[in-house]
Amino acid sequence: MRPAFSVLFLTTLIGIGQGLLVALSVGQWIETIGWAPVDPNGNFIAYGAVVAVVFLGLGLFASFFHLANPQRAWRAATRWRTSWLSREVLLLPVVMGLGLVYALIQYFNVQPALVTFANGESVTLGLVVGTVAALAALLLFVVTGMIYACVKFIREWASAWTVINFMIMGLASGSAVAAICANLEGGVLARFYLFAALVLTVVALATRSYQIWLNSRLALKSTLKTAIGQHHQQIRQISQGFMGSSFNNKEFSAPGGRDAVRGTTVAFLFFAFLLPAALMIVALGHGGLVVLASAAAIQYLGLLVERWAFFAQGQHVQNLYYQGKA
Amino acid sequence: MFGKKQTPAKKQLALVIDLNVCVGCHACVTSCKEWNTSGSAGPLPDENPYGADPKGVFFNRVQTFECGTYPNTETVHFPKSCLHCEDPPCVPVCPTGASYKREEDGIVLVDYDKCIGCKYCSWSCPYGAREFDEVQGVMKKCTLCVDRIYDTSLDPKLRKPACVLACPTSARIFGDIKDPQSEASIAIAENSGFQLMPEWGTNPANHYLPRRKTRITLHEDELVRADNPLKVEGEPPKVPLTSPTIDDASNW
Ligand code: SF4
Ligand code: SF4
């Protein structure tokens, strides 16, 4: 499939935003149950949530470039009963809204205690809203992943691993950004986030590699025999019905073909996972913000390459009809 | 995964394409383009039509395949357009509802005023039947000439898709495949009509008729004229009118 840059930016940017929201909420829970001291100034979560909303907003902005008629984009919210794409269109603004409310509650410290624990900490409004935002963000990973995983005619995508990988990669990159935010605000959770980002990056390396391996062993479900209904062992296409090109040649193939997929796969395994993981280990050692920031930045670029390869690797069944011309 | 299945239509208009007859002349392609580029829905644009890499939107294409190994090959011309699937995977994925299947006759259509051009539906068609119009920014596909098959100002004989009317070999049959008496249903039933890629469960309405060989068996004695066993060429001999005839009934 042809990788569209709008979608590459959309899925990677909202992945960071969602991962960041989840990380913030988890951090707040950790503070609440007393595994870590509460942030003295308390603003880290507010700023972090704003950063998450900015990432989600940038992703939403990028998505409009994918539409040929963006002025009617509101219509895309109408078919949520059947279309995962429609569900994403609905859920993304919801997650952004929740993130914004979370940020406001934390910033203005509107924190009526709902339940109080023995250690003196209590379940506050911010904690509840943050948890809801994090759950919505997790759900959005599923919804975004399903947009691709439900396309059964692209066997490389039609797998639960598409959803799992979207989620783990988003959580990893979001945790890395959470570590930066915590570090900047002098938060106590910086090391925790950094460690989480490292673990998630390593897990992502494993699960994404597993999907690459699975995709290298896919069996064909259709052949030219069933595509044109001729019971011959040897069928060769002579004409696609035109001498130039068509939508079917452009949308369903990637520039560079299989070589480009192979090259970008090696590149993203290194830049999205291995190199950032190494830098995160260094950052854990001496805690430098520069190392941490470069790990996150390199990981983001690596994930862009990863998304490119994800799209380019998808082989659509319709390509059976567009194989050759004499 | 896609929600509830569509209830099967009571009427399902479709094309039946006889691969045994199609000669690959592309008359259906040009007449489809002519009709559908001239309607009120706007043109089917061509980009760079006279340049090195022309690209355009068509509802119907005729592809050609070679089956077998040289010299024992067979050329199959294969017209391809939207198959108006009875369980169309392209419809439920559309986020706007622009893609829909009509209850009354089973035609799958795109509402160009609702389509946002996300192209998601084209990913969910295994046949590559949809083509994107970059100029209007909407997805396009065969409408089964919905704007002429119900046009009462036309002679009833002409209320058929443009491709069907254009085909010089009558390889294309149009009709309701839910009506067992229709020409289309009879053609499918009598000539082993088949669907494309049935393994995906799309249940295409359009059917294809297979290549078939027509053979007759002749026996030796059928090659010899019983009334001329000696194979004598020339005018038959003049026989007197009084002599008996072969069957004793007819006259010389
Ligand atoms: S042929 Fe393709 S576009 Fe037409 S109804 Fe079937 S799935 Fe949809
Ligand atoms: S391109 Fe148009 S018809 Fe196709 S899924 Fe998107 S909105 Fe629906």
Side-chain angles (χ1 to χ4, degrees):
Chain A
M1 301 297 285
R2 183 181 60 86
F5 273 92
S6 48
V7 180
L8 305 190
F9 283 111
L10 163 71
T11 54
T12 50
L13 287 170
I14 65 171
I16 291 184
Q18 292 161 253
L20 182 50
L21 276 181
V22 174
L24 294 174
S25 173
V26 170
Q28 200 178 9
W29 273 104
I30 288 177
E31 289 179 355
T32 305
I33 56 180
W35 287 354
V38 177
D39 255 320
N41 53 17
N43 275 350
F44 149 67
I45 288 179
Y47 291 134
V50 170
V51 172
V53 173
V54 168
F55 273 109
L56 292 164
L58 288 173
L60 183 62
F61 179 69
S63 74
F64 280 98
F65 289 92
H66 186 62
L67 304 182
N69 277 301
Q71 76 282 5
R72 307 176 189 149
W74 63 271
R75 287 189 183 275
T78 56
R79 288 302 151 119
W80 52 272
R81 278 193 200 83
T82 60
S83 170
W84 286 103
L85 183 51
S86 186
R87 289 170 196 160
E88 185 192 44
V89 169
L90 273 180
L91 190 54
L92 179 52
V94 170
V95 174
M96 289 177 69
L98 285 170
L100 204 59
V101 174
Y102 188 30
L104 290 174
I105 291 175
Q106 290 296 129
Y107 186 79
F108 292 108
N109 218 5
V110 204
Q111 303 284 31
L114 304 177
V115 183
T116 307
F117 293 129
N119 66 352
E121 290 295 339
S122 44
V123 174
T124 57
L125 184 62
L127 190 68
V128 172
V129 172
T131 307
V132 174
L135 290 178
L138 285 175
L139 188 62
L140 184 54
F141 278 124
V142 176
V143 170
T144 311
M146 279 309 290
I147 292 177
Y148 305 97
C150 80
V151 183
K152 56 184 171 178
F153 307 116
I154 303 172
R155 307 270 274 155
E156 286 81 357
W157 298 358
S159 136
W161 290 98
T162 300
V163 179
I164 294 169
N165 284 323
F166 267 60
M167 186 175 292
I168 297 179
M169 290 186 290
L171 290 175
S173 53
S175 301
V177 174
I180 296 177
C181 294
N183 207 315
L184 284 174
E185 281 293 303
V188 283
L189 287 169
R191 274 184 75 80
F192 164 73
Y193 286 138
L194 182 51
F195 187 69
L198 173 61
V199 172
L200 286 163
T201 301
V202 173
V203 173
L205 173 65
T207 55
R208 189 66 177 90
S209 304
Y210 180 65
Q211 196 179 15
I212 295 170
W213 179 77
L214 278 184
N215 285 348
S216 67
R217 301 158 39 90
L218 283 179
L220 278 177
K221 185 161 175 185
S222 293
T223 61
L224 262 183
K225 267 192 191 183
T226 58
I228 66 168
Q230 301 302 308
H231 302 288
H232 275 277
Q233 292 305 324
Q234 298 284 333
I235 306 177
R236 183 169 73 96
Q237 185 161 35
I238 291 180
S239 157
Q240 303 184 1
F242 46 82
M243 303 294 283
S245 63
S246 79
F247 173 72
N248 305 74
N249 301 120
K250 307 265 173 191
E251 177 75 2
F252 297 87
S253 62
R258 291 197 185 277
D259 285 344
V261 174
R262 223 168 285 134
T264 46
T265 301
V266 174
F268 84 69
L269 287 177
F270 184 73
F271 286 106
F273 308 125
L274 286 172
L275 184 56
L279 288 172
M280 285 169 195
I281 293 173
V282 174
L284 268 180
H286 72 85
L289 184 59
V290 181
V291 186
L292 178 55
S294 32
I298 290 171
Q299 181 164 56
Y300 180 69
L301 295 178
L303 286 180
L304 275 180
V305 180
E306 185 278 331
R307 223 38 58 89
W308 194 96
F310 171 78
F311 278 93
Q313 194 187 26
Q315 292 289 329
H316 198 286
V317 175
Q318 72 109 39
N319 288 351
L320 282 173
Y321 295 105
Y322 297 91
Q323 300 194 87
K325 17 184 158 179
Chain B
M1 188 184 294
F2 296 130
K4 68 171 192 293
K5 280 204 167 188
Q6 314 248 333
T7 41
K10 281 179 229 69
K11 182 178 177 189
Q12 174 67 63
L13 296 180
L15 293 172
V16 177
I17 297 169
D18 194 342
L19 298 181
N20 200 43
V21 173
C22 174
V23 291
C25 70
H26 290 247
C28 53
V29 178
T30 50
S31 95
C32 166
K33 177 94 171 182
E34 188 277 330
W35 176 263
N36 286 297
T37 207
S38 323
S40 54
L44 300 181
D46 291 304
E47 291 165 50
N48 200 17
Y50 304 108
D53 186 22
K55 185 173 176 236
V57 181
F58 287 73
F59 289 170
N60 178 34
R61 308 269 194 183
V62 177
Q63 304 191 319
T64 302
F65 295 87
E66 184 183 73
C67 302
T69 322
Y70 182 82
N72 299 314
T73 56
E74 182 173 31
T75 302
V76 176
H77 299 294
F78 177 77
K80 179 166 88 71
S81 55
C82 171
L83 308 171
H84 300 280
C85 300
E86 290 194 50
D87 199 3
C90 55
V91 166
V93 299
C94 173
T96 62
S99 277
Y100 64 106
K101 185 171 177 72
R102 284 165 41 121
E103 291 276 335
E104 61 267 42
D105 54 13
I107 299 181
V108 175
L109 289 177
V110 180
D111 183 338
Y112 303 146
D113 292 331
K114 283 190 188 161
C115 174
I116 53 172
C118 66
K119 304 179 188 152
Y120 195 37
C121 52
S122 69
W123 296 2
S124 281
C125 167
Y127 308 103
R130 293 173 168 247
E131 298 196 12
F132 190 68
D133 176 348
E134 303 277 353
V135 178
Q136 250 177 284
V138 297
M139 192 55 77
K140 298 208 162 165
K141 62 177 267 313
C142 162
T143 66
L144 227 43
C145 286
V146 70
D147 52 347
R148 71 172 293 151
I149 57 177
Y150 293 114
D151 185 347
T152 46
S153 70
L154 290 173
D155 184 317
K157 281 205 301 293
L158 297 177
R159 290 181 211 159
K160 286 181 177 178
C163 57
V164 175
L165 296 170
C167 181
T169 60
S170 304
R172 307 176 74 96
I173 303 165
F174 170 66
D176 175 11
I177 58 162
K178 287 283 152 80
D179 168 9
Q181 297 310 316
S182 72
E183 194 192 348
S185 297
I186 291 172
I188 295 170
E190 292 186 347
N191 298 304
S192 333
F194 63 90
Q195 297 172 316
L196 302 183
M197 295 203 276
E199 60 272 27
W200 294 107
T202 55
N203 200 4
N206 283 12
H207 282 65
Y208 287 78
L209 305 184
R211 302 290 294 227
R212 31 200 196 277
K213 295 274 184 282
T214 311
R215 294 185 199 278
I216 53 169
T217 311
L218 289 179
H219 297 286
E220 194 68 30
D221 57 341
E222 290 170 298
L223 299 172
V224 180
R225 273 178 60 189
D227 58 350
N228 188 11
L230 300 176
K231 295 186 190 162
V232 178
E233 298 297 332
E235 288 290 308
K238 285 260 184 293
V239 202
L241 286 171
T242 50
S243 67
T245 57
I246 288 179
D247 56 4
D248 283 332
S250 50
N251 252 330
W252 282 111

